[in-house]
Amino acid sequence: MHAVLEHVTENGVVAILRGVDPSILVPLGQALVDAGVGAIEITLNSEGALQGITALKEAIGKKLPIGAGTVMTGEDAHAAIKAGATFVLTPHLAQETLAVCCQAKIPAVIGVMTPSEAVRAYELGCEMVKIFPAASIGANYFRELRGPLPQIATMAVGGVNKDNAVEFIKAGARAVGAGGQLVDFAAAARGDWEAVKRKANEIVVAVYAAKNKSY
């Protein structure tokens, strides 16, 4: 598995930043580092997303991977990689995006829902799929999917919180991704970085416990 995905798997928590004020991205990113998250994803449908990826990569990129989310096309993937993204995530089975990432040797976490989509993404070179929307399907789906398809690593995204994050990990998800349930955006907007760290750390601690690790 690609080193970036190994890091994501080891930690198990990806913070999803969508629509964040670009002026607070760097201090927010540092607060999330301090909280112990394993990676940060900036969605491309956010204002100044590419510049934000570059800024976070320069500021904290040596501490954790900075990814680009909601990467819908191959053109988007090229732009994200050029901006400095070290991994890419999609909400759907984006074959063109995956092809660009494979050529650039950048891992892509491709969004799928069905076993057929998961297998197709894997066959095309995807090492980890994003089951989305995870909360709508439930943790047991991950357990059942792992039976016939143990070779396909999964990330749970969509409706993840500190309670069901544990269930997803126990059911076989290698990582979880969360936005508002992990990031206190209101606290970030007022510069209360301690509150941001406390909220994010709740899921980090829960996931570490589910992975039978201490934090």
Side-chain angles (χ1 to χ4, degrees):
M1 182 177 282
H2 193 285
V4 168
L5 296 183
E6 289 281 7
H7 181 91
V8 170
T9 295
E10 178 70 17
N11 176 279
V13 179
V14 178
I16 302 171
L17 306 184
R18 187 187 308 275
V20 175
D21 181 345
S23 69
I24 66 169
L25 267 179
V26 170
L28 174 56
Q30 184 58 59
L32 294 172
V33 169
D34 294 342
V37 303
I40 293 174
E41 166 194 345
I42 298 178
T43 66
L44 290 193
N45 59 349
S46 302
E47 177 189 351
L50 296 175
Q51 295 89 337
I53 289 170
T54 301
L56 278 187
K57 178 74 175 297
E58 292 175 353
I60 59 173
K62 292 182 180 180
K63 299 177 181 178
L64 82 181
I66 306 299
T70 317
V71 181
M72 304 295 291
T73 66
E75 184 178 353
D76 287 342
H78 278 299
I81 293 167
K82 185 178 180 181
T86 50
F87 69 110
V88 160
L89 304 97
T90 77
H92 66 306
L93 182 52
Q95 297 187 30
E96 182 186 3
T97 296
L98 180 55
V100 169
C101 291
C102 287
Q103 184 175 22
K105 295 182 170 54
I106 295 290
V109 182
I110 298 297
V112 302
M113 180 177 274
T114 68
S116 295
E117 290 178 333
V119 170
R120 179 58 177 161
Y122 182 77
E123 290 175 342
L124 291 171
C126 177
E127 294 185 288
M128 177 182 285
V129 297
K130 181 176 85 172
I131 306 296
F132 174 81
S136 299
I137 302 173
N140 200 49
Y141 182 79
F142 288 76
R143 185 174 291 106
E144 294 176 350
L145 191 69
R146 186 175 57 174
L149 301 174
Q151 74 277 24
I152 302 179
T154 58
M155 177 188 297
V157 178
V160 172
N161 55 49
K162 68 176 180 178
D163 296 318
N164 64 20
V166 171
E167 298 307 312
F168 287 126
I169 295 296
K170 288 182 176 179
R174 304 287 291 276
V176 298
Q181 291 293 329
L182 182 145
V183 184
D184 188 335
F185 292 112
R190 63 178 184 267
D192 188 349
W193 306 119
E194 288 301 318
V196 170
K197 286 188 282 186
R198 282 195 301 272
K199 184 176 179 68
N201 189 247
E202 291 178 350
I203 289 184
V204 170
V205 169
V207 168
Y208 264 70
K211 287 176 171 285
N212 297 313
K213 298 179 180 179
S214 60
Y215 181 76

